[in-house]
Amino acid sequence: MKRASMTVIAATIAALFAAPAPAQAQAQAQTKRPNIVIILGDDLGYADMGSFGSEIKTPNLDALANDGVRFTNFYTHATSSPTRSMLLTGVDTHRNGMGNMDEFTAPNQRGVPGYEGYLNDQVVTLPQLLKAAGYHTYMAGKWHLGKAPNLIPAARGFERDFTLLDGAGSYWDMTNFTAASPKSVFTEDGRYLKELPKDYYATKTYTDKLISFIDANHGDGKPFFAYVSHQAPHDPLHLPPEWRNRHVGEYDKGWDAVRQERLKRQIELGIMPAGTKLAERMWFLPDPIVLAPAARAIMGKKMELYAGMVENLDHHVGRLINHLKEIGEYENTIFLVFGDNGAEGTDLLKMIAGSPGSRDFLFAAINWSQTDPNAWGEPGSYPSYGPMWAQVSMTPFSQYKGWMAEGGVRNGLIVSGPLVKRQKGSINHGVMHVADIVPTMLEVAGTTYPESKDGKKLPPLIGKSWGPVLAGKADSPRTDTDYLAWEVFGNHAVRQGEWKIRWQYKPFGTESWELFNLANDPSERKNLAAERPDKVKAMVALWDQYARDNNVILPSRSMFETMEDTMPPRVPDDEGYPPLIYKKQFVPPADMTADPKP
C-alpha cells in the first residue's frame, strides 16, 4: 500500500511538471493558428443576404455578420472564373491565365500567355502556400479553372477535394449544357468520378464531403483551410421539393417593389447612405404594374425558387458552422463569405442552345425538357430568374454579371473570427478586393509569398492585406491614390478613390468612357464624363498603365458584339411614362351621373 501510494504521488508530481501552467496553456492556445473557411456563393447578389437588406431568410450567414464585420465596398470580377483565379492566386487575371473566360476566348487572344483559360503554371496558389506552411487544405464545390490532370484541385494544392470542374450544371446529376460537352466532370481526391453518389444534391453533398474531410484529420493539431465553393444559387434553379414553396406569392408584387424594400432596409442597416437612389430599371424590362396577374405570378415563381436556393445554401452553411462548434473549432475559425460576381441576368440556356435546328438546341430540348412551371426545380428543368430579379439581387446598383457597372463587380463581404477586432456586427466602407485574400491569409498563416517558383520569378500580388482593417487600426487597405482595374469580354473599368470610369459595349454601355462619382452616386445614374474631362483623362492614364503592366489584349470578338442589334433601343426610365398606360379609368362625380333619357 505504501509503495502504491508513493507511486501515485510520484506520478502526480510528474504530471504536474509535465502539464503546462494555466498561463502557459493559454499562451499556447493563443498562438495556435486559426482555421480559414471561405464560403463562396456562385452568382450570389450583393443584396441577397438578410444582413445586406434582403427579405430572404439567411440566419446562419447573418449570424456570421453579427459576430464579425460587413464590408460594403468589396470588389470581385464581373464573372466566375476570373474572380476565382484572383481569389486563389492574388495575381491579376491577365497574368494568371484567366485574361478571358475559357468559354469566350477571342481569336486574337488564343495562344497568348495569360489567356490560357485556366490557371497557368506561372502562378502559385493559396492552398499550395498554406499546405507548405502546415495547413490541411480542403475544397468542395465548383472549380472552373481547368480540367486536365495538372490543372485540377489536387494538382494545385488541395489535399482533399470533391469538385465540379465545369462552370455550371445540374444540381442532381452530371447533365451539362452542350452536345459537344454533354456530361459534367467531377473529381474526388484527384480522381475523375465515373458517377455521382446516389443521394447527390450539389449543396448538400458539398457540405457532407467537406465535413468528412475536416473530421478525417481533426485532432492532429494542424489548422485547416477550407474552400467551400458552392454552385448555389447559380442557375438552373434546382432545389428539393420542401424548399420550393417557402415564398409562394411573395414576389407577385414585382421587382420594382422588392428593390425599393431592399434599399429601404439597406439604408436602415447602414449598408447604404441615406439619400441613395435605385439604379434605373433596365430599359427593356417592363414596369411589373402593367403586367397581367398571371404573368406576374409566373415571373414571381422564378424568384421564389431563387430565394429557396439561397435559404437552402444558408441551411447547409449552418450545418457546417454547427459541426465546427460541436468539435470545438468554431472559435478558432476565420470565415469569409461573399459572391463571386454580380447576379446572373442572362438566359444562359437560351444563349448556349442557340437557334432552332442547331445541335445544341436539340440537346437542350431533350435534356432540359421540363419546362412546365410545376416541374421547375426538378432534374431536367432549367429555370433562371432573369434580368429583372438580377437587378433585385444587386440592389441598389446598375446592371449585373458580365458588365463593369457596380452590379457586375461589387459584392457583399462578411468576415468573422479571431482575426476581427472591430466591433461585432459593425459595417466598414473601405475599398476591398478579392485579390486581397491571398496576402491577408498568408499573414494569418505566418508565411510569405515567394519571389520565385521552380526557378521562375512569380508575378506580383496585386492585393493588400486586410490585417490593419480587421484589427481596427485602419478603415481601408487603400488610399485615394490606389486604384483597381478590370477587363473581361472587352468591357473594362478603373476605380480610384470615389471615382470610377467604365467602357462597355452597347447597349449596356456607350462604347466610350463614362465617369461616375460613387460616393454621391453609387447607382451610377449620372455620367459626369462631359463635365469632368480632366478626371476622365487622368483615370484613362491609369487604365493605360494597367493595360501595359498586365499585357491586356482587348478581344477581337466579344460575347456582346451583336447584343445591340437584338434588343430594343435604349431609352430613359422615367417614372410614370408614358402616361397612357398609367391613367386609370375616369370616374365622374356620383351626383353628376344619370341614366340616358328616353
Side-chain angles (χ1 to χ4, degrees):
M1 290 293 292
K2 185 175 181 181
R3 179 176 294 178
S5 298
M6 291 300 292
T7 302
V8 171
I9 293 170
T12 302
I13 293 171
L16 286 171
F17 277 103
Q24 183 184 351
Q26 186 177 3
Q28 288 178 353
Q30 288 174 346
T31 58
K32 183 182 177 183
R33 292 179 297 174
N35 308 310
I36 302 165
V37 174
I38 296 177
I39 299 171
L40 188 65
D42 197 353
D43 296 350
L44 181 71
Y46 183 91
D48 281 335
M49 293 183 282
S51 53
F52 280 83
S54 182
E55 72 294 334
I56 299 173
K57 299 174 180 63
T58 55
N60 297 296
L61 295 171
D62 297 345
L64 291 178
N66 292 332
D67 201 34
V69 58
R70 280 165 285 174
F71 294 93
T72 67
N73 267 291
F74 172 67
Y75 286 94
T76 59
H77 215 302
T79 53
S80 171
S81 47
T83 290
R84 293 157 197 268
S85 73
M86 291 193 291
L87 187 165
L88 291 174
T89 69
V91 173
D92 185 79
T93 56
H94 302 89
R95 305 187 74 170
N96 67 28
M98 292 308 309
N100 202 343
M101 294 184 74
D102 176 52
E103 296 87 345
F104 299 101
T105 305
N108 66 323
Q109 295 170 337
R110 294 172 189 160
V112 177
Y115 294 83
E116 291 87 352
Y118 53 79
L119 274 190
N120 62 32
D121 61 4
Q122 304 302 305
V123 294
V124 65
T125 68
L126 179 60
Q128 286 172 322
L129 296 173
L130 292 178
K131 189 175 183 181
Y135 271 70
H136 289 300
T137 55
Y138 310 133
M139 176 181 173
K142 169 179 156 179
W143 179 241
H144 204 193
L145 293 171
K147 295 181 181 178
N150 64 317
L151 303 174
I152 61 178
R156 303 312 296 258
F158 288 103
E159 65 178 272
R160 301 292 306 276
D161 81 281
F162 184 93
T163 310
L164 167 67
L165 299 182
D166 294 88
S170 172
Y171 285 69
W172 300 108
D173 52 43
M174 286 182 161
T175 307
N176 206 346
F177 296 151
T178 69
S181 182
K183 189 176 180 181
S184 295
V185 184
F186 288 78
T187 60
E188 185 169 17
D189 294 341
R191 307 291 291 181
Y192 296 90
L193 292 180
K194 297 177 181 178
E195 60 184 23
L196 294 172
K198 289 183 170 53
D199 61 346
Y200 177 80
Y201 173 70
T203 315
K204 175 184 179 295
T205 302
Y206 297 154
T207 307
D208 291 343
K209 292 292 183 179
L210 187 68
I211 289 173
S212 72
F213 298 161
I214 293 170
D215 284 352
N217 293 316
H218 184 242
D220 67 2
K222 293 175 65 173
F224 64 82
F225 166 61
Y227 177 37
V228 198
S229 181
H230 279 291
Q231 215 174 318
H234 193 297
D235 55 17
L237 304 182
H238 284 171
L239 67 168
E242 63 270 24
W243 291 89
R244 296 176 196 165
N245 300 309
R246 297 161 67 94
H247 295 271
V248 173
E250 183 175 337
Y251 295 104
D252 292 5
K253 67 183 82 170
W255 35 94
D256 283 4
V258 181
R259 274 210 304 161
Q260 290 161 2
E261 291 166 359
R262 287 196 181 187
L263 176 58
K264 182 175 182 291
R265 282 191 291 270
Q266 287 176 334
I267 293 172
E268 291 171 351
L269 289 169
I271 299 295
M272 284 289 133
T276 299
K277 295 181 179 179
L278 287 171
E280 288 185 301
R281 182 190 341 112
M282 304 190 82
W283 74 97
F284 53 88
L285 297 175
D287 181 338
I289 291 175
V290 306
L291 294 180
R296 276 199 284 171
I298 289 294
M299 301 304 287
K301 185 177 179 66
K302 293 186 175 185
M303 187 61 192
E304 293 171 21
L305 292 172
Y306 181 86
M309 286 195 75
V310 174
E311 292 184 351
N312 180 266
L313 170 65
D314 179 84
H315 165 74
H316 289 291
V317 169
R319 289 179 53 219
L320 173 61
I321 291 171
N322 289 334
H323 186 74
L324 293 178
K325 289 179 178 179
E326 290 170 3
I327 64 174
E329 294 291 348
Y330 174 80
E331 296 296 335
N332 194 44
T333 300
I334 298 167
F335 293 90
L336 284 71
V337 181
F338 56 98
D340 64 345
N341 42 243
E344 179 61 87
T346 303
D347 187 335
L348 289 179
L349 186 64
K350 181 179 179 181
M351 181 180 73
I352 293 167
S355 304
S358 67
R359 178 189 62 183
D360 289 334
F361 190 90
L362 178 62
F363 178 87
I366 294 172
N367 292 279
W368 299 100
S369 59
Q370 302 301 311
T371 57
D372 189 301
N374 292 322
W376 286 350
E378 293 286 340
S381 67
Y382 198 111
S384 56
Y385 72 164
M388 64 291 292
W389 297 116
Q391 272 207 286
V392 169
S393 288
M394 296 314 297
T395 302
F397 303 127
S398 175
Q399 304 177 17
Y400 42 73
K401 178 180 174 181
W403 300 92
M404 291 298 158
E406 293 293 278
V409 296
R410 194 153 153 185
N411 229 293
L413 168 68
I414 296 169
V415 181
S416 73
L419 196 62
V420 180
K421 305 303 180 186
R422 305 183 79 93
Q423 182 180 347
K424 288 188 176 184
S426 61
I427 294 172
N428 177 275
H429 304 293
V431 178
M432 321 285 274
H433 191 267
V434 68
D436 301 340
I437 291 173
V438 169
T440 306
M441 294 304 112
L442 292 182
E443 281 188 7
V444 168
T447 190
T448 57
Y449 183 70
E451 292 185 1
S452 62
K453 172 196 173 193
D454 300 330
K456 296 180 181 178
K457 186 176 181 180
L458 290 170
L461 297 180
I462 62 171
K464 294 178 177 291
S465 172
W466 296 341
V469 176
L470 296 176
K473 297 177 180 178
D475 288 329
S476 176
R478 290 174 172 80
T479 68
D480 287 343
T481 60
D482 293 320
Y483 71 94
L484 301 172
W486 302 261
E487 186 276 327
V488 70
F489 309 140
N491 293 331
H492 42 290
V494 175
R495 174 169 180 172
Q496 184 184 46
E498 63 189 32
W499 292 96
K500 177 182 174 184
I501 56 169
R502 71 183 195 206
W503 189 103
Q504 300 192 125
Y505 280 97
K506 294 178 179 178
F508 281 32
T510 61
E511 297 187 10
S512 60
W513 287 109
E514 300 173 88
L515 174 71
F516 301 95
N517 184 295
L518 297 179
N520 301 325
D521 181 23
S523 304
E524 297 170 296
R525 294 181 68 97
K526 184 172 177 56
N527 177 11
L528 300 172
E531 297 177 25
R532 291 293 307 273
D534 58 322
K535 179 56 72 173
V536 173
K537 182 179 179 181
M539 295 192 70
V540 169
L542 296 177
W543 163 258
D544 290 340
Q545 183 64 52
Y546 167 79
R548 285 192 300 269
D549 290 346
N550 294 284
N551 191 33
V552 176
I553 299 173
L554 295 177
S556 56
R557 301 287 305 275
S558 171
M559 63 182 294
F560 305 123
E561 62 190 3
T562 63
M563 181 176 282
E564 187 180 20
D565 300 328
T566 61
M567 296 185 71
R570 187 170 179 173
V571 294
D573 171 29
D574 289 317
E575 187 175 356
Y577 184 85
L580 171 66
I581 61 175
Y582 290 95
K583 285 186 177 293
K584 295 183 178 180
Q585 172 69 45
F586 173 74
V587 179
D591 60 353
M592 293 185 67
T593 61
D595 294 322
K597 294 180 179 180

